[in-house]
Amino acid sequence: TRLALRLGDRLRAAGHPAVLLPAGTAPKALVPLAATTTRCLVVLDDAHTRPDTVAAAVRAVATGGSAARILLLARSSGDWLDRLRDDPDDRIADVLDRAGADRLEPPATVPGDFATARAALARRLGLDAPPGGAPPPATTLIELQAAALADLVGGPAGASPWARLAEVERSRWVRAATGFGLPRLTGREADELMAAVSLFGADTDATAEALLASLRAFNGAPVADRDAGLALARTMLPGPRPLNPLAPAPLADEIVARLLRRGYRLADLAGVIGPDQARAALVGLGRGLAANPDLGGPVSDLLATAPARFMPAAMTAVAVVPDPRPLAAAMIGSVPAVPLDALEPLVDALPQRSDVLAPFAAELTARALAARRAAGPDDAGTARLARLLAVRLAALGDHTRAAEAVTAARSAVAWLKAAGSDEAELAEAYAALALAHDLGREGDPGEAEAAASAGARAIGLLRPLTGERAEGALVTALVNQVHRRHERALAEEAYAVAVRLHVARPTRFRSLLADAADNLAVLAGDPQVGREALRLRRELAAARPDAYRSQLAVTLFNIGGVLRAAGAEADGRALREESAAIAAELLRERGGGTG
């Protein structure tokens, strides 16, 4: 549109009339173009929403004597153009078949665009704006420009430029719907279509058709209407898939938020949503919750409606959402509504480590344990859940729940001893008991001694055992015991076993080796082992920042001290400063300020 406006300016400056037709121009107003002898340009913006007007304009210039030229601007050359080429008037089809077409790709942003956009907007608005801060992440110029406008005008969320853009976008869909024979697709129905397509998308024609058939605007409607709806969505949102999301992402988030605030239940679509669509939706919802935290309830509702599909998708979505905390909070909010028979499979689906999911993991495991105990006497499954709960409460670091963690771990140990379970399971239960006592040992020497005693018992049971599981558990138990006893021999033993495991399975045991190397470097004052620990931590944090950034901060601090003690003062100080920066960032993300 902007390019067409600039073209019109240049043509008029050269003495050639040019006009951008207003949106409400009636087709009959174009009839005089057939007789014009003056070279002129007529621009039809959003041509895909105005098929009748396009037909009238093309018919007028197809007479042969007109000096006018037509420029059509559209989001895609889709069904709307095919329908015009099938017009009973052969003149229209002939002109459109011969017409040239150019596809314009939006230019990528480059450094300096944010400052340029902000300064230009400030001049247009008459604002004396101070220099802006760092530009936000943006993949398109319109996204960056809207962010610059928001930075200038401020105000509540309702005043966001995205809200205004959402209104413009919906009006385009409503106009286009009329051209596709869907005049009843207005208001909320258009929002539902835009939101559903943007959130869920579709990789096949079958899933696209199933999604549209489930929407209110098309539920029970004739097949022809659903086909027209698909053609509309594909025209408005062109791309490689049968259904593509609205872009830029903040605009899609605004439309979804507006729909959900009106009480719309995404859960009503759960029956037709596949695993890939579920993950796409949870990524989009998780991203949007950062700007719209009041929508956690509808997201929790969706998660609880089909937990077997949506909960695992949410567990993976938190790793890619810029601020995953609101999504994690929505996941916690959904736990009370999860059916009892779905709890344990979800416990099993939890990632092995995730800082942001730690509160959710603890709540989910606690409810699964309570449900199992309510269903009957303790058994192996109950003991496993009790052990997991103790471990997850310890990972959560909530000292107010130390007694709960100790009780859970003790019950696991007691049942496994009574049942005569194998020593690996019993050892893991003792290791969990040690972690539970760690949680309550602040200022309590008795708890500290209990933790060391349980840890020693776990190590003693694991040492004679072979196999990856037992040896991995041994390294973990040794690493934790080093934190309690600070014994170099334990650190050396953990490192030796971890190296052997890592050589055989580097991907699986990288984190364990990093733990062991960190401990040994500190106790032995060994910079070489310290650098190895730091390299491993960086690899882990790069691959899974949600799970390993906090551990990276700890290792940076530890190895910084090792290097300074070894005489590498500058290197050590740089690592300590990097550690402090990561720690401050984590505190901000978790709502803990900057201290």
Side-chain angles (χ1 to χ4, degrees), residues 210-236:
L211 177 61
L212 255 70
S214 68
L215 303 182
R216 295 177 182 179
F218 301 101
N219 191 0
V223 173
D225 282 3
R226 295 204 297 270
D227 289 344
L230 279 171
L232 169 65
R234 290 166 176 165
T235 295
M236 299 298 288

Side-chain angles (χ1 to χ4, degrees), residues 112-212:
D113 280 346
F114 182 74
T116 300
R118 195 175 182 278
L121 287 164
R123 288 195 300 271
R124 286 289 185 97
L125 296 171
L127 298 175
D128 183 17
T139 56
T140 64
L141 285 173
I142 189 171
E143 186 175 350
L144 187 143
Q145 290 166 354
L149 182 59
D151 183 57
L152 284 170
V153 302
S160 163
W162 297 114
R164 173 61 184 140
L165 287 171
E167 291 292 339
V168 173
E169 182 68 12
R170 181 170 69 174
S171 69
R172 285 176 169 168
W173 280 69
V174 170
R175 288 201 309 270
T178 300
F180 280 83
L182 298 169
R184 58 188 175 80
L185 191 71
T186 60
R188 180 168 172 165
E189 289 80 9
D191 282 344
E192 181 193 29
L193 178 57
M194 288 188 289
V197 170
S198 297
L199 276 178
F200 300 109
D203 288 325
T204 67
D205 290 337
T207 54
E209 291 166 5
L211 177 61
L212 255 70

Side-chain angles (χ1 to χ4, degrees), residues 35 37 93 164 224 228 298 347 353 425 499 592:
T37 57
R164 173 61 184 140
V347 169
R353 184 179 302 194
E425 290 186 13
V499 167

